[in-house]
Amino acid sequence: MNRRPTPFLLVAAFLVVGCHHEHQEPQEHGKFLVTSPLRKDTELTRDYVAQIRAIQHIELRALEKGYLQGTFIDEGRQVAKGAKMFQIMPMIYQAEVQKADAEAQLSAIELRNTKLLADKNVVSPNELALARAKLNKAKAEVALASTHKSMTEMRAPFDGLVGRFHVRMGSLVDEGDLLTTLSDNSKVWVYFNVSEVEYLKYESQPEEERISTVKLQMADGQIFDQPGTVETIEADFNNQTGSLAFRATFPNPKGLLRHGETGKILMEVPLKNALLIPQKATFDVLDKKFVFVIDEKNVVHSRPITIAAEMPQVFAVASGLEEHDKILVEGLRKVRDGVTIEVDYKDPSDVFAHLEVPAE
């Protein structure tokens, strides 16, 4: 007959097993790469979605009503200031000029005859004044008719690129109808939105320390070969987005940038005396970031940190670490709090020089 173990023996066995498990420290095989945070001056590159605008971009609209008689330019071509672009049929306006000119000639003859009579005291000085006023009015009518006629001829107000045609030759256009657009893109204005917090930081800096030079990343990922200068800030915040528009000016000598293009503004912000760690040395728990800190006995301890800035493969730490701390760089998924590991310590400059693996 089998004898059942007494309750005292069960409790004793449980305590022995429990105590043995409590003092057992998992040992990991192999050495783990460990380094320290790196203290140095660096730069943080911030990017902003940007809209590219020509410094001058206007709509060319018909100034007079009539049939479009001729076009002397083509879409997408460069035109010089003063070049003839469109001609609206001028015949009616030419007739008005001739009519006004004839009336002016008649008024001039009447003035001469009235002056002769006035010199002989045949007519009063008032008659002479009326004749002179009639001639001045006739001359004004000539100038007005000539102005209307000149407005049937559209010329480029500045050097620029011609946009898409909205009418074709022979079309009946009314006063104010859109013919095309003209853009001067010898320089471009690039607008980008900055958050309210970043704007306040920007304005709080001394003027000589404010970032004024920026780069433009084009839609294909290439960096535009000309630097830009931040020249102005819009007056009003956008309440819906909580941002404010900055404007940078870029020279565009080759005409590569066109009105309406998009891109990204790259702004390099200096970080002085920053404390840097590899991104792959961190791990997330809920919405917080942690690192594994190795103490003098090579025991692993998790520690929360605060990130000040993010760069490719690197975090700048705001709080939670000191320069002398040792942190685990690789094998984060193989360890846990309280375990003892074998350490392969490397100088932080060597570790940062070989950062190729993305953060875990």
Side-chain angles (χ1 to χ4, degrees), residues 16-27 336-340:
V16 170
V17 173
C19 292
H20 176 73
H21 179 74
E22 181 181 352
H23 288 88
Q24 183 179 4
E25 294 185 353
Q27 299 291 328
R336 63 179 184 273
D337 248 339
V339 300
T340 302

Side-chain angles (χ1 to χ4, degrees), residues 59-300:
E59 295 179 339
L60 290 176
R61 295 182 177 271
L63 298 175
E64 297 291 347
K65 181 179 180 179
Y67 287 98
L68 187 63
Q69 188 178 42
T71 57
F72 304 93
I73 38 87
D74 198 1
E75 296 173 330
R77 295 296 181 89
Q78 185 80 21
V79 296
K81 180 180 180 179
K84 190 174 181 179
M85 301 180 69
F86 297 99
Q87 177 67 64
I88 296 173
M89 191 174 291
M91 290 186 296
I92 295 177
Y93 301 100
Q94 178 62 39
E96 289 181 351
V97 171
Q98 293 173 349
K99 177 183 176 183
D101 189 55
E103 291 178 351
Q105 292 179 23
L106 178 61
S107 297
I109 295 172
E110 290 179 352
L111 176 61
R112 286 197 299 268
N113 292 337
T114 304
K115 189 175 185 307
L116 290 174
L117 294 174
D119 291 342
K120 297 177 181 180
N121 293 322
V122 176
V123 297
S124 67
N126 286 339
E127 291 290 334
L128 180 60
L130 287 173
R132 186 174 288 110
K134 185 177 180 181
L135 176 60
N136 290 336
K137 180 182 178 182
K139 289 181 178 179
E141 292 291 341
V142 172
L144 179 61
S146 299
T147 300
H148 279 292
K149 178 178 177 293
S150 68
M151 289 193 298
T152 63
E153 185 179 271
M154 302 285 294
R155 293 185 176 272
F158 52 80
D159 296 347
L161 278 174
V162 180
R164 178 180 297 181
F165 291 161
H166 292 267
V167 293
R168 294 294 184 268
M169 192 166 60
S171 301
L172 177 63
V173 296
D174 203 350
E175 181 180 346
D177 283 354
L178 178 63
L179 304 180
T180 187
T181 58
L182 187 65
S183 298
D184 177 6
N185 66 340
S186 57
K187 292 182 181 180
V188 294
W189 285 341
V190 181
Y191 293 87
F192 58 101
N193 291 328
V194 173
S195 70
E196 186 173 356
V197 173
E198 290 174 311
Y199 161 73
L200 293 174
K201 288 182 180 178
Y202 181 87
E203 287 293 327
S204 66
Q205 295 174 337
E207 189 169 353
E208 62 275 7
E209 295 182 9
R210 293 178 186 173
I211 300 169
S212 59
T213 302
V214 293
K215 297 179 181 179
L216 175 64
Q217 184 180 46
M218 298 179 290
D220 63 354
Q222 299 294 317
I223 303 299
F224 186 56
D225 61 2
Q226 298 287 333
T229 303
V230 177
E231 293 184 340
T232 189
I233 303 172
E234 283 193 357
D236 300 326
F237 274 98
N238 185 326
N239 291 330
Q240 295 180 345
T241 62
S243 61
L244 184 67
F246 280 46
R247 190 190 79 196
T249 301
F250 285 80
N252 189 29
K254 299 178 182 177
L256 178 61
L257 302 178
R258 302 286 182 99
H259 180 85
E261 283 188 287
T262 60
K264 286 184 179 180
I265 285 290
L266 304 180
M267 182 181 290
E268 294 180 349
V269 181
L271 295 178
K272 296 182 179 180
N273 204 30
L275 190 65
L276 308 178
I277 63 171
Q279 285 194 21
K280 64 180 182 178
T282 67
F283 61 96
D284 297 330
V285 177
L286 298 177
D287 59 344
K288 294 183 179 180
K289 286 201 177 294
F290 287 76
V291 294
F292 282 126
V293 178
I294 314 302
D295 65 17
E296 63 277 1
K297 295 181 180 180
N298 293 344
V299 177
V300 176

Side-chain angles (χ1 to χ4, degrees), residues 2-20:
N2 295 332
R3 298 180 60 186
R4 295 182 179 179
T6 63
F8 174 78
L9 293 176
L10 288 174
V11 171
F14 176 77
L15 290 174
V16 170
V17 173
C19 292
H20 176 73

Side-chain angles (χ1 to χ4, degrees), residues 32-38 276-278 280-282 291-295 301 303 305 317 320-322 324-330 332 341 343-346 352:
F32 289 84
L33 177 60
V34 172
T35 190
S36 297
L38 179 64
L276 308 178
I277 63 171
K280 64 180 182 178
T282 67
V291 294
F292 282 126
V293 178
I294 314 302
D295 65 17
H301 303 280
R303 185 185 296 178
I305 61 172
V317 179
L321 283 177
E322 299 295 338
H324 58 79
D325 288 330
K326 295 180 180 179
I327 58 172
L328 184 65
V329 179
E330 295 178 350
L332 275 69
I341 61 173
V343 170
D344 178 18
Y345 181 83
K346 288 189 177 180
F352 277 80

